[in-house]
Amino acid sequence: MWIMVLFDLPVLTPEERKAATGFRNYLLDEGFEMAQFSVYLRCTPSKEAAAAYIRRIETAVPSDGKVDILQFTDRQYENIICFRGRMRESSPEKPSQLLLF
């Protein structure tokens, strides 16, 4: 199961920038990888684990802005088409094993 977090957070004031940076750092601390600016991605072992991540993310969402979370299966994710410039890039591979800290 994959989780994709997409967000659009205000960054007009120093407080808003600090909240947006804090949210990005929270996602990185939770093991998400940046796919694009404001798009973070993580593989989870199950739907239940994905739900747990989503509950934790909910507590870290800044008070303003928009955060959307998509969930999709490994099978759906392997069909992603990636372009880097005009070059097509192979789809990212699912991690072969989970890292335990």
Side-chain angles (χ1 to χ4, degrees), residues 6-8 13 23 31 34 39 49 51 70 74 79 85 88 91 97:
L6 309 98
F7 56 89
D8 187 15
T13 66
F23 185 66
M34 186 176 83
V39 178
L70 300 175
D74 298 339
N79 292 326
R88 183 179 280 210
S91 61
Q97 64 183 29

Side-chain angles (χ1 to χ4, degrees), residues 40-58:
Y40 286 73
L41 189 67
R42 180 185 167 83
C43 181
T44 63
S46 65
K47 192 171 187 171
E48 292 77 21
Y53 276 106
I54 291 169
R55 283 192 301 272
R56 289 200 300 266
I57 290 169
E58 184 179 5

Side-chain angles (χ1 to χ4, degrees), residues 79-99:
N79 292 326
I80 191 170
I81 298 171
C82 301
F83 290 100
R84 301 295 181 258
R86 292 184 179 236
M87 302 293 293
R88 183 179 280 210
E89 188 173 272
S90 61
S91 61
E93 294 183 16
K94 177 185 172 193
S96 58
Q97 64 183 29
L98 296 175
L99 295 176

Side-chain angles (χ1 to χ4, degrees), residues 3 5-6 8 14 16 18 21 28 30 34 36 43 50 55 60 66-68 78 81 85 88 91 94:
I3 305 171
V5 179
L6 309 98
D8 187 15
E16 290 173 340
K18 183 176 181 179
T21 299
L28 293 172
E30 287 288 323
M34 186 176 83
Q36 295 182 13
C43 181
R55 283 192 301 272
K66 181 179 179 184
V67 177
D68 295 322
E78 72 184 18
I81 298 171
R88 183 179 280 210
S91 61
K94 177 185 172 193

Side-chain angles (χ1 to χ4, degrees), residues 12-27:
L12 298 176
T13 66
E15 294 81 20
E16 290 173 340
R17 284 192 290 276
K18 183 176 181 179
T21 299
F23 185 66
R24 282 191 294 273
N25 288 335
Y26 175 80
L27 292 174

